[in-house]
Amino acid sequence: GAGVSQSPSNKVTEKGKDVELRCDPISGHTALYWYRQSLGQGLEFLIYFQGNSAPDKSGLPSDRFSAERTGGSVSTLTIQRTQQEDSAVYLCASSLAPGYQETQYFGPGTRLLVL
Amino acid sequence: DQQVKQNSPSLSVQEGRISILNCDYTNSMFDYFLWYKKYPAEGPTFLISISSIKDKNEDGRFTVFLNKSAKHLSLHIVPSQPGDSAVYFCASYEYNQGGKLIFGQGTELSVKP
């Protein structure tokens, strides 16, 4: 497709389980970003990739969160031992090049609910 | 510490009138600003941006104004249409800090026919 895609669109899990969220960026976009939006809040930066490396992981809330990107394309965000406060919409974005003043294009998000 | 603030969680406007959405920021190193629009169950969509070297940028019905001394920007939509009803997010890049966007909390705009 032409846009950023994310899967699954919805995920319900039990506290303590691990989850994997996937992002397919726009073809040719070298930069990829993960954000999350908790209920009633703005978007919170988690991590960004330039190619397969992550120059900025400063937004990852704890060591239960990790992300990787392979082949300069698909990225996976993994949350281990999920907690109820992890419930949020996880949004992925990509841009043609890394760095500021580049427009970021967002996917539809994965809605995660931890029971 | 909320570096980008949208103090109005919601705004209701009559169709055809002007909608004004406001955003304040605290970090003087912010020098590029964007507005995104978000419909329910969709990701945010880029709307318009402005660099700190300008004080106004216009694109059709949408105009963004930047007041650097007040650390304030606003988005004007004229005339407002029912299809503009969405959540609007203000966001900023910090100079030389890569691609990390800092977002405000959003303002939900409702345009009534």
Side-chain angles (χ1 to χ4, degrees), chain A residues 33 35 42 100-102 104 107 111, chain B residues 31 36 41 43 93 95 99 101:
Chain A
Y33 311 83
Y35 295 86
Y100 87 132
Q101 299 198 10
E102 288 288 338
Q104 295 182 21
R111 283 149 195 81
Chain B
D31 70 345
Y36 279 83
Y93 284 115
Y95 176 72
L101 271 175

Side-chain angles (χ1 to χ4, degrees), chain B residues 91-109:
Chain B
S92 177
Y93 284 115
E94 184 175 348
Y95 176 72
N96 215 23
Q97 292 298 309
K100 174 180 176 179
L101 271 175
I102 310 296
F103 283 85
Q105 309 95 309
T107 297
E108 183 171 10
L109 174 66

Side-chain angles (χ1 to χ4, degrees), chain A residues 27-40:
Chain A
S27 178
H29 279 197
T30 62
L32 185 148
Y33 311 83
W34 284 97
Y35 295 86
R36 75 174 177 182
Q37 184 182 16
S38 302
L39 191 63

